[in-house]
Structures are given as structure tokens and as C-alpha cells.
């Protein structure tokens, strides 16, 4: 007699359970090159996970409508911050960055008129979730003088950003500016 269960069990045999791999670490617990054949530095990997691949300068301003984004939650923290910005840095910051592939971890765009005495908001979003993480306020200087970071707003909800303080947020924003936008910010004033 024909049995459907026997028929399918022959077509799709059950997989054997795999045994967990034996511990191949030496007794002293030290890692060697054979344990990391790609030679990946754990700090490099952590940096990639947070910031993605390096960005390329954008020739045109990326608008907020270029990506699906979500606003801050109700918990927004404001921190004063003063950093001078050179004219080339101002251009790179204002132009922002639109992700091209999954390895691009950030979407950065600006809002506001680029005019002397005006404030431009540079918004930092995680590209996968579209969540706004921070906004850097930039006071635009005279023509040819660049500008100045005048403040930082950041997501305060622990559901969105885990264990972050103002210095940690500044570090993340600095690194996104350097790594993704190609604008290395100077020292705080």
C-alpha cells in the first residue's frame, strides 16, 4: 500500500544533527592566525558594523525626501557644542550622503537655507531603520568662511539608542562626518 509519509521521507530525509565543533583553542586560550584566517581585526569589524564602508563625497545636496525616515521619538536631548567648520567641510556636510547599498549604514541630509547667519540642520539617520539619531546645528558664516557647529540634538530613547551620553553622541557624529562625509571636524572650542 502507498504511504504518503514514506514517500516524503524518502524524498526529504531527516538531516542528521550536527555535533558541536570541538574546542580548537589551545589550553592557554590564546588566538592565533589559524583561528582568524581572514586576519580581521575586531576593532575594524566593530567600526564597520557601526559606520559601514567609507562614503564618497556627494556633488549635490541630498534632500530629506531622498530616503524613508522616521523622526525623533518624544525624547530629544539638546547639548551645546561649538566646533569651527572650514568652507570645504561645510560643503561636504551640507551635501550629506545617500546610501547606495546595504554596507552604507548612514543617511545624512541637511535642512535650511545656506546663508550667512542662518542655521542649517544636519540630520543623521540609520539607513536600515530610517531612525533619526542626531541633528547637528550649523551656523553658516560669511561667504568663504565656513561656519560653526552650534549645537547637537540627539535621540534620548533607550529603545532606539542604547546607553549613549553627550560625549558618545559627539564621537559618533564626528566619525560619521569623517568616515562617511569626508569632513574631519576640528577640536571643540
Amino acid at each position: 500500500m502507498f504511504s504518503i509519509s514514506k514517500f516524503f521521507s524518502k524524498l526529504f530525509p531527516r538531516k542528521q544533527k550536527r555535533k558541536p565543533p570541538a574546542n580548537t583553542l589551545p589550553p592557554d586560550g590564546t588566538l592565533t592566525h589559524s583561528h582568524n584566517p581572514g586576519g580581521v581585526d575586531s576593532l575594524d569589524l566593530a567600526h564597520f558594523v557601526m559606520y559601514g564602508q567609507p562614503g564618497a563625497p556627494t556633488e549635490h545636496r541630498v534632500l530629506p525626501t531622498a530616503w524613508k525616515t522616521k523622526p525623533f521619538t518624544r525624547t530629544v536631548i539638546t547639548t551645546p557644542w561649538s566646533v569651527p567648520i572650514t568652507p570645504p567641510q561645510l560643503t561636504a556636510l551640507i551635501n550629506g550622503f545617500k546610501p547606495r547599498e546595504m554596507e552604507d549604514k548612514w543617511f545624512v541630509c541637511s535642512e535650511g537655507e545656506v546663508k550667512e547667519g542662518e542655521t542649517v540642520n544636519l540630520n543623521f539617520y540609520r539607513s536600515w531603520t530610517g531612525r533619526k539619531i542626531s541633528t547637528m546645528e550649523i551656523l553658516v558664516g560669511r561667504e568663504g568662511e565656513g561656519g560653526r557647529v552650534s549645537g547637537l540634538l540627539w535621540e534620548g530613547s533607550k529603545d532606539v539608542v542604547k546607553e549613549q551620553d553627550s560625549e558618545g553622541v559627539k564621537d559618533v557624529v564626528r566619525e560619521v562626518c569623517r568616515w562617511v562625509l569626508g569632513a574631519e571636524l576640528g577640536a571643540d572650542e
Side-chain angles (χ1 to χ4, degrees):
M1 173 161 218
F2 178 76
S3 166
I4 256 192
S5 63
K6 283 183 183 179
F7 174 76
F8 280 111
S9 66
K10 286 182 182 179
L11 277 177
F12 306 105
R14 291 183 186 238
K15 293 181 180 178
Q16 297 295 323
K17 290 186 178 179
R18 290 185 180 188
K19 294 180 182 176
N23 186 356
T24 57
L25 288 177
D28 66 357
T30 58
L31 292 176
T32 64
H33 182 70
S34 64
H35 296 101
N36 186 5
V40 176
D41 183 327
S42 60
L43 291 177
D44 289 344
L45 184 58
H47 188 274
F48 176 79
V49 167
M50 181 67 181
Y51 302 103
Q53 62 189 357
T58 306
E59 292 183 26
H60 303 286
R61 190 173 185 181
V62 175
L63 300 175
T65 55
W67 202 255
K68 187 176 180 182
T69 60
K70 298 175 185 169
F72 283 129
T73 63
R74 292 185 300 239
T75 311
V76 179
I77 300 170
T78 304
T79 302
W81 197 20
S82 181
V83 179
I85 298 173
T86 65
Q89 289 172 332
L90 182 62
T91 300
L93 296 172
I94 297 296
N95 284 350
F97 179 78
K98 181 180 176 184
R100 297 174 306 273
E101 50 196 47
M102 287 184 69
E103 290 79 14
D104 295 324
K105 309 288 184 177
W106 293 91
F107 170 63
V108 183
C109 63
S110 61
E111 297 177 286
E113 191 173 350
V114 184
K115 182 176 152 186
E116 180 184 342
E118 296 292 322
T119 297
V120 173
N121 289 328
L122 186 63
N123 301 305
F124 296 82
Y125 298 88
R126 292 302 289 194
S127 64
W128 287 12
T129 63
R131 282 274 182 207
K132 185 185 265 191
I133 303 301
S134 59
T135 296
M136 183 168 66
E137 297 173 326
I138 301 171
L139 181 61
V140 179
R142 290 189 196 125
E143 181 79 28
E145 288 187 4
R148 165 171 314 290
V149 174
S150 60
L152 185 66
L153 286 76
W154 50 285
E155 177 61 61
S157 170
K158 300 291 183 199
D159 294 334
V160 178
V161 180
K162 307 282 188 247
E163 300 178 30
Q164 199 78 284
D165 62 9
S166 64
E167 291 307 310
V169 173
K170 288 177 184 178
D171 290 345
V172 168
V173 167
R174 275 185 186 281
E175 188 59 11
V176 172
C177 289
R178 183 188 76 80
W179 187 253
V180 178
L181 302 175
E184 190 160 354
L185 300 178
D188 293 7
E189 291 186 331

